[in-house]
Amino acid sequence: MADTSTQSIIIGASPDRVAAVICDFPSYPEWTDAVREAEVIEEYEDGYASQVRFVLDATVMADEYVLAYAYAEDLSRIEWHLVAPSKMQRAQRGAYDLVANADGGTTVTYTLEVELAVGMLGMFRRKAEKMIMDAALKQLKRRVEASGAAQ
C-alpha cells in the first residue's frame, strides 16, 4: 500500500524559473544529493522530457528507474509516475504544483506517493519520506535561488 506525503516551500523566484530548474533533468546530479544520473530518454514534440531514467544512490536506498512526465500547459503542475517496477519500487506517483505569490516568489508543493518493493516499518517509512521530501525541496530552493543570483 502506498502512502501519499505532501510538503511545501516558498522559493524566491518566479514559477517560470522554478519550472525551468525542475525540467532540466540532466543537471539533477549537480544539485541533488541522491541522484547520480538523470537521462532524458524520450521527449514530447515541444522538447519537454516525457521519460527520464534516474540512477539513485541515497544512503538508505539505491535504485534505477524510469519516470514518465506530464505537464500543465503553463507548467504550474509537473507530474510523473513510475513506468515499470524497479528493484526498490512497485509504484511511484508525484507532482510539483507551482503557485505564484504576490511578492514574486513561488509556493512549491511537492506530493509523492511511493509503494516500495521491500518492507519497511511505517514509522521508519514516514521518517524516510519526510527526509527525502525535505531534502528535495531545500535542494530545489537552493538551486533556483542560486541560479537567479547568477542571472
Side-chain angles (χ1 to χ4, degrees):
M1 182 78 183
D3 292 323
T4 301
S5 298
T6 301
Q7 286 189 33
S8 296
I9 197 167
I10 295 173
I11 297 178
S14 69
D16 288 346
R17 227 170 60 223
V18 175
V21 170
I22 292 170
C23 294
D24 183 10
F25 297 104
S27 75
Y28 276 37
E30 297 171 15
W31 59 272
T32 57
D33 293 339
V35 177
R36 297 295 169 248
E37 292 179 42
E39 175 191 9
V40 175
I41 55 177
E42 282 186 23
E43 291 182 343
Y44 293 109
E45 287 181 14
D46 60 10
Y48 285 100
S50 63
Q51 291 195 8
V52 181
R53 182 183 67 85
F54 290 92
V55 176
L56 187 73
D57 188 4
T59 51
V60 295
M61 183 174 101
D63 202 6
E64 182 174 337
Y65 54 91
V66 175
L67 298 179
Y69 283 83
Y71 308 86
E73 194 170 315
D74 63 357
L75 295 181
S76 62
R77 181 174 180 85
I78 301 165
E79 59 187 23
W80 63 88
H81 69 271
L82 190 66
V83 171
S86 67
K87 179 177 75 171
M88 298 296 290
Q89 302 174 75
R90 284 193 189 106
Q92 180 186 142
R93 296 187 94 57
Y96 284 108
D97 288 295
L98 312 178
V99 177
N101 298 336
D103 66 0
T106 304
T107 298
V108 179
T109 301
Y110 181 31
T111 304
L112 184 63
E113 177 183 315
V114 178
E115 184 178 346
L116 294 175
V118 295
M120 186 181 281
L121 291 174
M123 177 180 69
F124 295 115
R125 179 189 166 96
R126 284 186 293 279
K127 183 173 178 142
E129 283 175 354
K130 181 175 178 7
M131 288 172 47
I132 290 166
M133 294 184 82
D134 280 349
L137 286 172
K138 287 175 183 168
Q139 290 171 15
L140 175 63
K141 177 181 175 75
R142 192 167 39 248
R143 177 69 171 204
V144 171
E145 291 178 352
S147 70
Q151 289 180 347

